[in-house]
Amino acid sequence: MSRGLVIGESLIDIIERDGRITGEHVGGSPLNVAVGLARLDHDVDFMTHIADDPYGRRIAEYVKASGAQLVSGSITATRTPTARVSVSEQGLPDYMFDLDWQLSGIPTAAPPVLLHTGSIAAVQEPGCLALAALIDAYRVSATVSLDPNVRPALIVDRDVACERIERLVQRSDVVKASNEDLRWMHPDRTPEQIAQTWLALGPSIVVVTTGVKGAFAVCAAGQAEVPARPVQVVDTVGAGDAFMVGLIDWLWRSGLLGADRRGNLRRIGLDALTAALNAATLLSALTIARAGADLPDRSALHAAAHFR
């Protein structure tokens, strides 16, 4: 039992500047996590919803090239999702999605050691309902990790979305959210307060990324905090997904994933948690130093760690 299962959306980001299309890139937060873990030599299955069209074939080829395996039944959509990203003169992105989220794939027969999900897949019907059932089924064998990665442009009812996310928090072992996610969900509370509330719901670890300030995490042993790594920023796309990959990778290599290790994960100490956060910030820094959500492979990670 050594495979991971990532469930969630994949799409094509269509970049626009001054009304002109300047680029098209494979995207989607869960896809980035699946690809990132595969590039770090983990066996990963990716369950998504794309079409057998040029965009869908491009996504399928990208997943395969990373070393991840697309789950059977993932290519059943009528059209592959897209996100039209308009970039302002200040460099701020504005997203408009064309996305239908459903689940009809057949996950790997072998019980996974990890199930990761989040973002649009966590809140958009009808797929989010099937996702919740799959989490309940696979929690018996797997550590469940969650990154809400909130997309307000797709959310019609804020209260329903927040309720769905927090139900998934209850079922999860490792939760990572950005301070922007938490501000959108609970504008009247601090990230520290929300992290402690979520920890009490059931997870072993709740991590909050705070942009240029770094990240902090809470667990039963207390709170750990690390600064952001100094880096020449080229592109912040994928920074949060890379952080999630770095965190999962550290826990995986440390033998803390799998339902049978849930007790060990719950007893994680602050030194170990700090090491996990440092690994996550390194992978995030390497990613934002490149154009696009281009997560590094194991050799690039080793080289960076050697020189730091």
Side-chain angles (χ1 to χ4, degrees):
M1 190 177 71
S2 60
R3 297 191 69 84
L5 174 62
V6 178
I7 304 175
E9 73 276 1
S10 52
L11 47 82
I12 297 293
D13 288 325
I14 302 171
I15 313 299
E16 286 186 352
R17 289 180 184 270
D18 300 323
R20 294 184 300 104
I21 295 176
T22 59
E24 295 182 346
H25 309 289
V26 174
S29 175
L31 175 141
N32 288 337
V33 172
V35 165
L37 288 172
R39 288 180 178 176
L40 295 182
D41 304 322
H42 295 292
D43 293 327
V44 179
D45 296 310
F46 180 46
M47 185 176 182
T48 191
H49 187 57
I50 56 177
D52 184 13
D53 57 18
Y55 281 161
R57 288 189 287 275
R58 181 175 171 185
I59 289 171
E61 290 166 4
Y62 184 81
V63 170
K64 182 179 179 181
S66 76
Q69 177 74 41
L70 202 62
V71 169
S72 174
S74 290
I75 308 176
T76 57
T78 56
R79 65 186 182 280
T80 295
T82 59
R84 196 166 287 267
V85 188
S86 299
V87 182
S88 70
E89 292 181 0
Q90 294 75 32
L92 300 175
D94 181 37
Y95 290 86
M96 184 171 65
F97 292 93
D98 178 11
L99 186 146
D100 172 37
W101 172 239
Q102 299 187 42
L103 280 177
S104 55
I106 303 170
T108 176
V113 71
L114 165 78
L115 190 157
H116 173 79
T117 192
S119 195
I120 296 165
V123 297
Q124 183 159 318
E125 292 187 16
C128 69
L129 306 178
L131 171 64
L134 284 172
I135 289 174
D136 285 341
Y138 280 104
R139 224 179 157 263
V140 176
S141 70
T143 295
V144 178
S145 63
L146 171 71
D147 178 2
N149 199 11
V150 175
R151 300 294 190 185
L154 273 174
I155 294 174
V156 176
D157 190 317
R158 176 203 207 97
D159 291 340
V160 169
C162 290
E163 182 182 347
R164 284 176 174 160
I165 290 170
E166 293 189 344
R167 279 204 301 266
L168 293 182
V169 169
Q170 293 175 11
R171 295 170 165 90
S172 299
D173 301 292
V174 178
V175 178
K176 190 279 291 183
S178 69
N179 54 355
E180 290 91 350
D181 291 337
L182 300 186
R183 267 200 300 268
W184 183 86
M185 292 180 69
H186 300 288
D188 57 338
R189 303 176 64 199
T190 67
E192 290 80 7
Q193 289 172 332
I194 300 167
Q196 290 292 348
T197 298
W198 282 9
L199 186 70
L201 293 177
S204 296
I205 300 171
V206 176
V207 181
V208 179
T209 57
T210 55
V212 295
K213 294 182 180 179
F216 72 88
V218 294
C219 65
Q223 180 169 318
E225 187 171 349
V226 299
R229 292 175 183 261
V231 65
Q232 183 66 43
V233 177
V234 174
D235 190 341
T236 60
V237 175
D241 303 327
F243 186 100
M244 188 82 241
V245 169
L247 178 65
I248 293 171
D249 174 59
W250 191 94
L251 296 172
W252 203 332
R253 290 185 297 108
S254 299
L256 291 173
L257 296 189
D260 59 334
R261 310 289 177 88
R262 194 162 274 137
N264 294 339
L265 183 63
R266 193 167 295 279
R267 292 188 293 272
I268 191 170
L270 293 183
D271 288 345
L273 186 55
T274 300
L277 294 179
N278 279 323
T281 58
L282 174 58
L283 203 74
S284 184
L286 291 175
T287 301
I288 65 176
R290 311 179 186 207
D294 183 17
L295 279 69
D297 60 17
R298 181 68 69 191
S299 62
L301 187 57
H302 279 161
H306 179 73
F307 288 108
R308 287 173 183 267

